[in-house]
């Protein structure tokens, strides 16, 4: 069943549009950073007799998740609106099936609990994959374009004065750090897509579903323990902020998925 669900995602026009959009948005961030770091060098190469400018970003710092571009437009478009992409990608699929009566046909072949679990797993796979693919493409571009970069926005100049912690370790091992953050962001995306799927089993109104998914996500962004701390490297926040943010996020997801599973099982009985 999971294979069929994934096949349906790949064949869906709206899902393909979301995949393209999620992949394209980091290009905005990439373009801004390229122009900011290399624009003057390209226009006035004679002003740089020693080669590239000293402020050229390290590839990891230039990449999307670091949020180093002016205005942070791309980050707001992708991170803040993440529920929108996940819902259209797959999160509201069960609601769509219920609207056309297809869910009744599925129930004749599989138990509601089995359908629920399969859709949760498909939600995680789709949410994880679309973000992983987008972030990897962006990072590869940055590795090639900024391969001679060494700057971390000036943070590296105070490295000796920084306490031994996450930011110090991140600057010492930037490539490994960034790969870890890509993985964490992908996992977060996968789990939140699961939450969207779970809520679609319990909520019959599309407006309410979208509103709740956005509200829960946005509250976690503006929280003192913002989930963004767990997906943005090279910032001043360390494990004291990241761990509580992940615990809050995980707890919300577990509660929602468990409560919806209880409802699904009761309906089955």
């Amino acid at each position: 069943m999971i294979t069929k669900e994934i096949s349906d995602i790949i064949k869906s026009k709206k899902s393909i549009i979301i995949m393209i959009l999620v992949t394209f948005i980091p290009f905005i961030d990439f373009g801004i950073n390229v122009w900011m770091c290399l624009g003057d060098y390209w226009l006035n190469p004679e002003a740089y007799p020693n080669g590239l400018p000293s402020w050229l970003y390290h590839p990891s710092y230039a990449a999307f998740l670091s949020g180093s571009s002016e205005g942070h437009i791309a980050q707001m478009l992708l991170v803040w609106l993440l529920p929108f992409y996940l819902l259209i990608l797959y999160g509201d699929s069960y609601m769509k099936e219920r609207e056309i009566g297809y869910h009744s046909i599925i129930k004749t072949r599989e138990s509601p609990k089995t359908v629920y679990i399969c859709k949760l797993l498909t939600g995680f796979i789709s949410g994880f994959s679309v973000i992983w693919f987008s972030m990897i493409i962006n990072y590869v571009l940055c590795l090639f374009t900024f391969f001679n970069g060494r700057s971390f926005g000036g943070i590296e100049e105070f490295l000796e004065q920084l306490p031994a912690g996450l930011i110090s370790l991140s600057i010492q091992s930037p490539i490994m750090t960034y790969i870890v953050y890509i993985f964490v962001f992908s996992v977060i995306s996968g789990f939140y897509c699961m939450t969207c799927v779970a809520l679609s089993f319990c909520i019959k109104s599309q407006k309410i579903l979208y509103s709740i998914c956005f509200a829960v996500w946005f509250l976690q962004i503006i929280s003192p323990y913002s989930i963004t701390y767990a997906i943005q490297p090279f910032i001043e926040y360390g494990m004291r902020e990241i761990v509580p943010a992940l615990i809050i996020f995980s707890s919300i997801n577990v509660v929602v998925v468990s409560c919806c599973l209880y409802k699904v099982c009761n309906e089955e009985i």
Side-chain angles (χ1 to χ4, degrees), residues 82-165:
L82 184 64
F84 172 77
Y85 307 120
L86 297 178
L87 283 163
I88 295 180
L89 177 70
Y90 184 75
D92 66 353
S93 62
Y94 185 76
M95 179 175 289
K96 299 296 185 183
E97 291 174 359
R98 186 168 52 214
E99 289 176 356
I100 63 176
Y102 182 65
H103 74 299
S104 299
I105 300 175
I106 297 177
K107 286 182 179 179
T108 62
R109 291 180 275 178
E110 302 285 352
S111 67
K113 183 178 179 181
T114 300
V115 173
Y116 180 76
I117 293 174
C118 286
K119 283 192 171 292
L120 285 182
L121 293 175
T122 305
F124 179 83
I125 293 170
S126 58
F128 179 96
S129 300
V130 71
I131 291 299
W132 173 266
F133 184 73
S134 176
M135 295 300 102
I136 288 295
I137 289 179
N138 172 260
Y139 193 37
V140 170
L141 282 174
C142 290
L143 287 172
F144 279 102
T145 307
F146 297 88
F147 65 94
N148 281 326
R150 295 292 180 268
S151 173
F152 289 88
I155 301 174
E156 69 280 5
E157 297 178 8
F158 305 95
L159 187 59
E160 295 182 357
Q161 302 174 25
L162 293 173

Coordinates of all heavy atoms in Angstrom, one line a residue, residues 82-165:
L82 N 6.0 25.8 5.8 CA 6.2 24.4 5.6 C 4.9 23.6 5.7 O 4.7 22.7 4.8 CB 7.2 23.9 6.7 CG 7.5 22.4 6.5 CD1 8.3 22.1 5.2 CD2 8.4 22.0 7.7
P83 N 3.9 23.8 6.6 CA 2.7 23.1 6.6 C 1.9 23.1 5.3 O 1.3 22.2 4.9 CB 1.9 23.7 7.8 CG 2.9 24.3 8.6 CD 4.0 24.8 7.7
F84 N 1.9 24.3 4.7 CA 1.3 24.5 3.4 C 1.8 23.5 2.3 O 1.0 22.8 1.7 CB 1.5 25.9 2.9 CG 0.9 26.2 1.5 CD1 -0.4 26.3 1.3 CD2 1.8 26.2 0.4 CE1 -0.9 26.5 0.0 CE2 1.4 26.5 -0.8 CZ 0.0 26.6 -1.1
Y85 N 3.1 23.4 2.2 CA 3.7 22.5 1.3 C 3.4 21.0 1.6 O 3.1 20.2 0.7 CB 5.2 22.7 1.2 CG 5.6 24.1 0.9 CD1 6.4 24.8 1.8 CD2 5.1 24.8 -0.2 CE1 6.7 26.2 1.6 CE2 5.4 26.1 -0.4 CZ 6.2 26.8 0.5 OH 6.5 28.1 0.3
L86 N 3.5 20.7 2.9 CA 3.3 19.3 3.3 C 1.9 18.8 3.1 O 1.6 17.7 2.8 CB 3.7 19.1 4.8 CG 5.2 19.4 5.1 CD1 5.5 19.2 6.6 CD2 6.1 18.5 4.3
L87 N 0.9 19.7 3.4 CA -0.5 19.4 3.3 C -0.8 19.1 1.8 O -1.5 18.2 1.5 CB -1.3 20.5 3.8 CG -1.5 20.6 5.3 CD1 -2.0 21.9 5.8 CD2 -2.4 19.4 5.8
I88 N -0.3 20.0 0.9 CA -0.6 19.8 -0.5 C 0.1 18.6 -1.1 O -0.4 17.9 -1.9 CB -0.3 21.1 -1.3 CG1 -1.2 22.2 -0.9 CG2 -0.4 20.9 -2.8 CD1 -0.9 23.5 -1.6
L89 N 1.3 18.4 -0.6 CA 2.2 17.3 -1.1 C 1.5 16.0 -0.8 O 1.4 15.1 -1.7 CB 3.5 17.3 -0.4 CG 4.5 16.2 -0.7 CD1 4.9 16.3 -2.2 CD2 5.7 16.2 0.2
Y90 N 1.0 15.8 0.5 CA 0.4 14.5 0.9 C -0.5 14.6 2.1 O -1.4 13.8 2.3 CB 1.5 13.5 1.1 CG 0.9 12.1 1.4 CD1 0.4 11.3 0.4 CD2 0.9 11.6 2.7 CE1 -0.2 10.1 0.6 CE2 0.4 10.4 3.0 CZ -0.2 9.6 1.9 OH -0.7 8.4 2.2
G91 N -0.2 15.6 2.9 CA -0.9 15.7 4.3 C -2.4 15.7 4.3 O -3.0 15.1 5.2
D92 N -3.0 16.2 3.2 CA -4.5 16.2 3.2 C -5.1 15.1 2.3 O -6.2 15.2 1.9 CB -5.0 17.6 2.8 CG -4.7 17.9 1.3 OD1 -3.9 17.2 0.7 OD2 -5.2 19.0 0.8
S93 N -4.3 14.1 1.9 CA -4.7 13.1 1.0 C -5.9 12.3 1.4 O -6.8 12.0 0.7 CB -3.5 12.2 0.7 OG -3.1 11.5 1.8
Y94 N -5.9 12.0 2.7 CA -7.1 11.2 3.2 C -8.4 12.0 3.2 O -9.4 11.5 2.9 CB -6.8 10.7 4.7 CG -7.9 9.8 5.2 CD1 -8.0 8.5 4.8 CD2 -8.9 10.3 6.1 CE1 -9.0 7.7 5.2 CE2 -9.9 9.5 6.5 CZ -10.0 8.2 6.1 OH -11.0 7.3 6.5
M95 N -8.3 13.3 3.4 CA -9.4 14.2 3.3 C -10.0 14.2 1.9 O -11.2 14.2 1.7 CB -9.1 15.6 3.8 CG -10.2 16.6 3.7 SD -9.8 18.2 4.4 CE -9.7 17.8 6.2
K96 N -9.1 14.3 1.0 CA -9.5 14.2 -0.5 C -10.2 12.9 -0.8 O -11.2 12.9 -1.5 CB -8.3 14.5 -1.4 CG -7.6 15.8 -1.2 CD -8.5 17.0 -1.5 CE -7.7 18.3 -1.4 NZ -8.5 19.5 -1.7
E97 N -9.6 11.8 -0.3 CA -10.2 10.5 -0.6 C -11.6 10.4 0.1 O -12.5 9.8 -0.5 CB -9.3 9.4 0.0 CG -8.0 9.3 -0.8 CD -7.0 8.3 -0.2 OE1 -7.3 7.8 0.9 OE2 -5.9 8.2 -0.7
R98 N -11.7 11.0 1.3 CA -13.0 10.9 1.9 C -14.1 11.7 1.2 O -15.2 11.3 1.1 CB -12.9 11.5 3.4 CG -14.1 11.3 4.2 CD -13.8 11.6 5.7 NE -13.1 12.9 5.8 CZ -12.2 13.1 6.7 NH1 -11.8 12.2 7.6 NH2 -11.7 14.3 6.8
E99 N -13.7 12.8 0.6 CA -14.6 13.7 -0.2 C -15.2 13.0 -1.4 O -16.3 13.2 -1.7 CB -13.9 15.0 -0.6 CG -13.6 15.9 0.6 CD -12.8 17.2 0.1 OE1 -12.4 17.2 -1.1 OE2 -12.6 18.0 0.9
I100 N -14.3 12.1 -2.0 CA -14.8 11.4 -3.2 C -15.3 10.0 -2.9 O -15.7 9.3 -3.8 CB -13.7 11.4 -4.3 CG1 -12.5 10.6 -3.8 CG2 -13.3 12.8 -4.7 CD1 -11.4 10.4 -4.9
G101 N -15.2 9.6 -1.7 CA -15.7 8.3 -1.3 C -14.8 7.2 -1.5 O -15.1 6.0 -1.2
Y102 N -13.5 7.5 -1.8 CA -12.6 6.5 -2.1 C -12.1 5.7 -0.8 O -11.8 4.6 -0.9 CB -11.3 7.1 -2.8 CG -10.3 6.1 -3.1 CD1 -10.5 5.1 -4.1 CD2 -9.0 6.1 -2.5 CE1 -9.5 4.1 -4.4 CE2 -8.0 5.2 -2.8 CZ -8.3 4.2 -3.8 OH -7.3 3.3 -4.1
H103 N -12.2 6.4 0.3 CA -11.8 5.8 1.6 C -12.7 4.6 1.9 O -12.3 3.7 2.6 CB -11.9 6.8 2.7 CG -13.2 7.2 3.2 ND1 -14.2 7.8 2.4 CD2 -13.8 7.0 4.4 CE1 -15.3 8.0 3.0 NE2 -15.1 7.5 4.3
S104 N -14.0 4.6 1.5 CA -14.9 3.5 1.7 C -14.4 2.3 1.0 O -14.6 1.1 1.5 CB -16.3 3.9 1.3 OG -16.8 5.0 2.1
I105 N -13.9 2.5 -0.2 CA -13.4 1.3 -1.0 C -12.2 0.7 -0.3 O -12.0 -0.5 -0.3 CB -13.1 1.8 -2.4 CG1 -14.3 2.4 -3.1 CG2 -12.5 0.7 -3.2 CD1 -14.1 2.9 -4.5
I106 N -11.3 1.6 0.2 CA -10.1 1.1 0.8 C -10.4 0.3 2.0 O -9.8 -0.7 2.3 CB -9.2 2.3 1.2 CG1 -8.7 3.1 -0.1 CG2 -7.9 1.8 2.0 CD1 -7.9 4.3 0.2
K107 N -11.4 0.7 2.8 CA -11.8 0.1 4.0 C -12.3 -1.4 3.8 O -12.3 -2.2 4.7 CB -12.9 0.9 4.8 CG -12.3 2.1 5.5 CD -13.4 2.9 6.2 CE -12.8 4.1 6.9 NZ -13.9 4.8 7.6
T108 N -12.8 -1.6 2.6 CA -13.2 -3.0 2.3 C -12.0 -3.9 2.1 O -12.2 -5.2 2.1 CB -14.1 -3.0 1.0 OG1 -13.3 -2.5 -0.1 CG2 -15.3 -2.1 1.2
R109 N -10.8 -3.4 1.8 CA -9.7 -4.2 1.6 C -8.7 -4.2 2.8 O -8.0 -5.2 3.0 CB -8.9 -3.7 0.3 CG -9.7 -4.0 -1.0 CD -8.9 -3.5 -2.2 NE -9.2 -2.1 -2.4 CZ -8.6 -1.4 -3.4 NH1 -7.7 -2.0 -4.2 NH2 -8.9 -0.1 -3.6
E110 N -8.6 -3.1 3.5 CA -7.7 -2.9 4.6 C -8.5 -2.4 5.8 O -9.5 -1.6 5.7 CB -6.6 -2.0 4.3 CG -5.7 -2.4 3.1 CD -4.8 -3.5 3.3 OE1 -4.7 -4.0 4.5 OE2 -4.2 -4.1 2.4
S111 N -8.0 -2.7 7.0 CA -8.6 -2.1 8.2 C -8.3 -0.6 8.3 O -7.2 -0.2 7.9 CB -8.1 -2.9 9.4 OG -6.7 -2.6 9.7
P112 N -9.1 0.2 9.0 CA -8.8 1.6 9.2 C -7.5 1.8 9.8 O -6.8 2.8 9.5 CB -10.0 2.1 10.0 CG -11.1 1.2 9.7 CD -10.5 -0.2 9.5
K113 N -7.1 1.0 10.8 CA -5.9 1.1 11.5 C -4.7 0.9 10.5 O -3.7 1.6 10.6 CB -5.8 0.1 12.6 CG -4.5 0.2 13.5 CD -4.5 -0.8 14.6 CE -3.2 -0.7 15.4 NZ -3.2 -1.7 16.5
T114 N -4.8 -0.1 9.7 CA -3.7 -0.4 8.7 C -3.6 0.8 7.7 O -2.5 1.2 7.4 CB -4.0 -1.6 7.9 OG1 -4.1 -2.7 8.8 CG2 -2.9 -1.9 6.9
V115 N -4.7 1.3 7.3 CA -4.7 2.5 6.4 C -4.0 3.7 7.0 O -3.2 4.4 6.4 CB -6.1 2.9 5.9 CG1 -6.2 4.2 5.1 CG2 -6.8 1.7 5.1
Y116 N -4.4 3.9 8.3 CA -3.9 5.0 9.1 C -2.3 4.9 9.2 O -1.6 5.9 8.9 CB -4.5 5.0 10.5 CG -4.0 6.1 11.4 CD1 -4.5 7.4 11.2 CD2 -3.2 5.9 12.4 CE1 -4.1 8.4 12.1 CE2 -2.7 6.9 13.3 CZ -3.2 8.2 13.1 OH -2.8 9.2 14.0
I117 N -1.9 3.8 9.6 CA -0.4 3.6 9.8 C 0.3 3.7 8.4 O 1.4 4.3 8.4 CB -0.1 2.2 10.4 CG1 -0.7 2.2 11.9 CG2 1.4 1.9 10.4 CD1 -0.6 0.8 12.5
C118 N -0.2 3.1 7.4 CA 0.4 3.2 6.1 C 0.5 4.7 5.6 O 1.5 5.1 5.0 CB -0.3 2.4 5.0 SG -0.1 0.6 5.2
K119 N -0.5 5.4 5.8 CA -0.5 6.8 5.4 C 0.4 7.7 6.3 O 1.1 8.6 5.8 CB -1.9 7.4 5.5 CG -2.8 7.0 4.3 CD -4.1 7.7 4.2 CE -4.8 7.4 2.8 NZ -4.1 7.9 1.7
L120 N 0.5 7.3 7.5 CA 1.5 8.0 8.4 C 2.9 7.8 7.9 O 3.7 8.7 7.7 CB 1.4 7.5 9.8 CG 0.3 7.9 10.7 CD1 0.4 7.4 12.1 CD2 0.2 9.5 10.7
L121 N 3.3 6.5 7.5 CA 4.6 6.2 7.0 C 4.9 6.9 5.7 O 6.0 7.4 5.5 CB 4.7 4.7 6.9 CG 4.7 3.9 8.2 CD1 4.8 2.4 7.9 CD2 5.9 4.3 9.1
T122 N 3.8 6.9 4.8 CA 4.0 7.6 3.5 C 4.2 9.1 3.8 O 5.0 9.7 3.1 CB 2.8 7.3 2.7 OG1 2.5 5.9 2.5 CG2 3.0 7.9 1.3
G123 N 3.5 9.6 4.7 CA 3.6 11.0 5.1 C 5.0 11.4 5.5 O 5.6 12.4 5.1
F124 N 5.6 10.5 6.3 CA 7.0 10.7 6.8 C 8.0 10.6 5.6 O 8.8 11.5 5.5 CB 7.4 9.7 7.9 CG 8.8 9.9 8.3 CD1 9.1 10.8 9.3 CD2 9.8 9.1 7.8 CE1 10.4 11.0 9.7 CE2 11.2 9.3 8.2 CZ 11.4 10.3 9.2
I125 N 7.8 9.6 4.8 CA 8.7 9.4 3.7 C 8.6 10.6 2.7 O 9.7 11.1 2.3 CB 8.4 8.1 2.9 CG1 8.7 6.9 3.8 CG2 9.2 8.0 1.6 CD1 8.2 5.6 3.3
S126 N 7.4 11.1 2.4 CA 7.3 12.2 1.4 C 7.8 13.5 2.0 O 8.5 14.2 1.4 CB 5.8 12.3 1.0 OG 5.0 12.5 2.2
G127 N 7.5 13.8 3.3 CA 7.9 15.0 3.9 C 9.4 15.0 4.1 O 10.1 16.1 3.9
F128 N 10.0 13.9 4.5 CA 11.5 13.8 4.6 C 12.2 14.0 3.3 O 13.1 14.7 3.1 CB 11.8 12.4 5.2 CG 13.3 12.2 5.4 CD1 13.9 12.4 6.6 CD2 14.1 11.7 4.3 CE1 15.3 12.2 6.8 CE2 15.5 11.5 4.5 CZ 16.1 11.8 5.7
S129 N 11.7 13.3 2.3 CA 12.4 13.2 1.0 C 12.4 14.6 0.3 O 13.4 14.9 -0.3 CB 11.7 12.2 0.1 OG 11.8 10.9 0.7
V130 N 11.3 15.3 0.3 CA 11.2 16.5 -0.5 C 12.1 17.6 0.1 O 12.8 18.3 -0.6 CB 9.7 17.1 -0.5 CG1 9.3 17.6 0.8 CG2 9.6 18.2 -1.6
I131 N 12.3 17.6 1.4 CA 13.2 18.5 2.1 C 14.6 18.1 1.9 O 15.5 18.9 1.6 CB 12.8 18.7 3.6 CG1 11.5 19.4 3.7 CG2 13.9 19.5 4.3 CD1 11.5 20.8 3.2
W132 N 14.9 16.8 2.1 CA 16.2 16.3 1.9 C 16.8 16.6 0.5 O 17.9 17.1 0.3 CB 16.2 14.8 2.2 CG 17.5 14.1 1.9 CD1 17.9 13.5 0.7 CD2 18.7 14.0 2.8 NE1 19.2 13.0 0.8 CE2 19.7 13.3 2.1 CE3 18.9 14.4 4.1 CZ2 20.9 13.0 2.6 CZ3 20.2 14.1 4.6 CH2 21.1 13.4 3.9
F133 N 16.0 16.3 -0.5 CA 16.4 16.5 -1.9 C 16.7 18.0 -2.1 O 17.7 18.4 -2.8 CB 15.3 16.0 -2.8 CG 15.6 16.1 -4.3 CD1 16.5 15.3 -4.9 CD2 15.0 17.1 -5.1 CE1 16.8 15.3 -6.2 CE2 15.3 17.2 -6.4 CZ 16.2 16.3 -7.0
S134 N 15.8 18.9 -1.7 CA 15.9 20.3 -1.9 C 17.2 20.8 -1.2 O 18.0 21.6 -1.8 CB 14.7 21.0 -1.3 OG 14.9 22.4 -1.4
M135 N 17.4 20.4 0.1 CA 18.6 20.9 0.8 C 19.9 20.4 0.2 O 20.9 21.1 0.2 CB 18.5 20.5 2.3 CG 17.3 21.1 3.0 SD 17.3 22.9 3.1 CE 16.1 23.3 1.8
I136 N 19.9 19.1 -0.2 CA 21.1 18.6 -0.8 C 21.5 19.3 -2.1 O 22.7 19.6 -2.3 CB 20.9 17.1 -1.1 CG1 20.9 16.3 0.3 CG2 22.0 16.5 -2.0 CD1 22.2 16.3 1.0
I137 N 20.5 19.6 -3.0 CA 20.8 20.3 -4.2 C 21.4 21.7 -3.9 O 22.4 22.1 -4.5 CB 19.5 20.4 -5.0 CG1 19.1 19.1 -5.6 CG2 19.7 21.4 -6.2 CD1 17.9 19.1 -6.5
N138 N 20.8 22.3 -2.9 CA 21.3 23.7 -2.6 C 22.7 23.6 -2.0 O 23.5 24.4 -2.3 CB 20.3 24.3 -1.5 CG 20.8 25.6 -0.9 OD1 21.4 25.6 0.2 ND2 20.7 26.7 -1.7
Y139 N 23.0 22.6 -1.2 CA 24.3 22.5 -0.6 C 25.4 22.2 -1.6 O 26.5 22.7 -1.5 CB 24.3 21.4 0.5 CG 25.5 21.5 1.4 CD1 26.1 22.7 1.8 CD2 26.1 20.3 1.9 CE1 27.2 22.8 2.6 CE2 27.2 20.4 2.8 CZ 27.7 21.6 3.1 OH 28.8 21.7 3.9
V140 N 25.0 21.3 -2.5 CA 26.0 20.9 -3.6 C 26.3 22.2 -4.4 O 27.5 22.4 -4.7 CB 25.4 19.8 -4.5 CG1 26.3 19.6 -5.7 CG2 25.4 18.5 -3.7
L141 N 25.4 23.0 -4.7 CA 25.6 24.2 -5.5 C 26.5 25.1 -4.7 O 27.4 25.7 -5.3 CB 24.3 24.9 -5.8 CG 23.4 24.4 -6.9 CD1 22.1 25.1 -6.9 CD2 24.1 24.6 -8.2
C142 N 26.3 25.2 -3.4 CA 27.1 26.1 -2.6 C 28.6 25.6 -2.4 O 29.5 26.3 -2.4 CB 26.5 26.2 -1.2 SG 25.0 27.2 -1.1
L143 N 28.7 24.2 -2.4 CA 30.0 23.7 -2.3 C 30.9 24.0 -3.5 O 32.1 24.2 -3.4 CB 29.9 22.1 -2.1 CG 29.5 21.6 -0.7 CD1 29.2 20.1 -0.8 CD2 30.5 21.9 0.3
F144 N 30.2 24.0 -4.7 CA 30.9 24.3 -5.9 C 31.2 25.8 -6.1 O 32.2 26.2 -6.5 CB 30.2 23.8 -7.1 CG 30.4 22.3 -7.4 CD1 29.4 21.4 -7.0 CD2 31.5 21.9 -8.0 CE1 29.6 20.0 -7.2 CE2 31.8 20.5 -8.2 CZ 30.8 19.6 -7.8
T145 N 30.2 26.6 -5.7 CA 30.3 28.1 -6.0 C 31.1 28.8 -4.9 O 31.9 29.7 -5.3 CB 28.8 28.7 -6.0 OG1 28.0 28.0 -6.9 CG2 28.9 30.2 -6.3
F146 N 31.1 28.3 -3.7 CA 31.8 29.0 -2.6 C 32.9 28.1 -2.1 O 33.3 28.2 -0.9 CB 30.8 29.3 -1.4 CG 29.7 30.3 -1.8 CD1 28.5 29.8 -2.3 CD2 29.8 31.6 -1.6 CE1 27.5 30.6 -2.6 CE2 28.8 32.5 -1.9 CZ 27.6 32.0 -2.4
F147 N 33.5 27.3 -3.0 CA 34.5 26.3 -2.5 C 35.7 27.0 -1.9 O 36.4 26.4 -1.1 CB 34.9 25.4 -3.6 CG 35.6 26.1 -4.7 CD1 37.0 26.1 -4.8 CD2 34.9 26.7 -5.8 CE1 37.7 26.7 -5.8 CE2 35.6 27.3 -6.8 CZ 37.0 27.3 -6.9
N148 N 36.0 28.2 -2.2 CA 37.2 28.9 -1.6 C 36.8 29.8 -0.4 O 37.7 30.5 0.1 CB 37.9 29.8 -2.7 CG 38.8 28.9 -3.6 OD1 39.4 28.0 -3.1 ND2 38.9 29.3 -4.8
G149 N 35.5 29.8 -0.1 CA 35.1 30.7 1.0 C 35.5 30.3 2.4 O 35.6 29.1 2.6
R150 N 35.8 31.2 3.2 CA 36.2 30.9 4.6 C 35.4 31.7 5.7 O 35.5 31.4 6.8 CB 37.7 31.2 4.8 CG 38.6 30.4 3.9 CD 38.6 29.0 4.4 NE 39.5 28.1 3.6 CZ 39.1 27.5 2.5 NH1 37.9 27.5 2.1 NH2 40.0 26.7 1.8
S151 N 34.6 32.6 5.2 CA 33.9 33.5 6.2 C 32.6 32.9 6.7 O 31.9 32.2 6.0 CB 33.5 34.8 5.5 OG 32.7 35.6 6.3
F152 N 32.4 33.1 8.1 CA 31.2 32.7 8.7 C 30.5 34.0 9.2 O 29.9 34.0 10.3 CB 31.5 31.8 9.9 CG 31.9 30.4 9.4 CD1 33.2 30.1 9.2 CD2 30.9 29.4 9.2 CE1 33.6 28.8 8.8 CE2 31.3 28.1 8.8 CZ 32.7 27.9 8.6
G153 N 30.5 35.0 8.4 CA 29.8 36.3 8.8 C 30.5 37.0 9.9 O 29.9 37.8 10.6
G154 N 31.8 36.7 10.2 CA 32.6 37.4 11.2 C 32.6 36.6 12.5 O 33.4 36.9 13.4
I155 N 31.8 35.5 12.6 CA 31.8 34.8 13.9 C 33.2 34.1 14.1 O 33.6 34.0 15.3 CB 30.7 33.7 13.8 CG1 29.4 34.3 13.6 CG2 30.7 32.8 15.1 CD1 28.3 33.3 13.4
E156 N 33.8 33.7 13.1 CA 35.1 33.0 13.2 C 36.2 33.8 13.8 O 37.1 33.3 14.4 CB 35.6 32.4 11.9 CG 36.0 33.5 10.9 CD 34.9 34.2 10.2 OE1 33.7 33.9 10.5 OE2 35.1 35.0 9.3
E157 N 36.0 35.2 13.8 CA 37.0 36.1 14.3 C 37.0 36.0 15.9 O 38.0 36.4 16.5 CB 36.8 37.5 13.8 CG 37.0 37.6 12.3 CD 36.7 39.0 11.8 OE1 36.5 39.9 12.7 OE2 36.6 39.2 10.6
F158 N 35.9 35.6 16.4 CA 35.8 35.5 17.9 C 35.7 34.1 18.4 O 35.3 33.9 19.5 CB 34.5 36.3 18.3 CG 34.4 37.7 17.8 CD1 33.7 38.0 16.6 CD2 35.1 38.7 18.5 CE1 33.7 39.3 16.2 CE2 35.0 40.0 18.0 CZ 34.3 40.3 16.9
L159 N 36.2 33.2 17.6 CA 36.1 31.8 17.9 C 36.8 31.5 19.2 O 36.3 30.7 20.1 CB 36.7 30.9 16.8 CG 36.6 29.4 16.9 CD1 35.1 29.0 17.0 CD2 37.2 28.7 15.8
E160 N 38.0 32.1 19.5 CA 38.7 31.8 20.7 C 38.0 32.3 21.9 O 38.2 31.8 23.0 CB 40.1 32.4 20.6 CG 41.0 31.7 19.5 CD 42.4 32.3 19.5 OE1 42.7 33.2 20.2 OE2 43.2 31.8 18.7
Q161 N 37.2 33.4 21.7 CA 36.5 34.0 22.8 C 35.2 33.3 23.1 O 34.6 33.5 24.2 CB 36.2 35.4 22.6 CG 37.5 36.2 22.3 CD 37.2 37.7 21.8 OE1 36.1 38.2 22.2 NE2 38.1 38.3 21.1
L162 N 34.7 32.4 22.2 CA 33.5 31.8 22.4 C 33.6 30.6 23.3 O 34.7 29.9 23.3 CB 32.9 31.2 21.0 CG 32.5 32.3 20.0 CD1 32.2 31.6 18.7 CD2 31.3 33.1 20.5
P163 N 32.6 30.3 24.2 CA 32.7 29.2 25.1 C 32.6 27.9 24.2 O 32.1 27.8 23.2 CB 31.4 29.3 25.9 CG 30.5 30.1 25.1 CD 31.4 31.1 24.3
A164 N 33.3 26.9 24.8 CA 33.3 25.6 24.1 C 31.8 25.1 24.1 O 31.2 24.8 25.1 CB 34.2 24.6 24.8
G165 N 31.3 25.0 22.9 CA 29.9 24.6 22.8 C 29.5 24.3 21.3 O 30.4 24.1 20.5

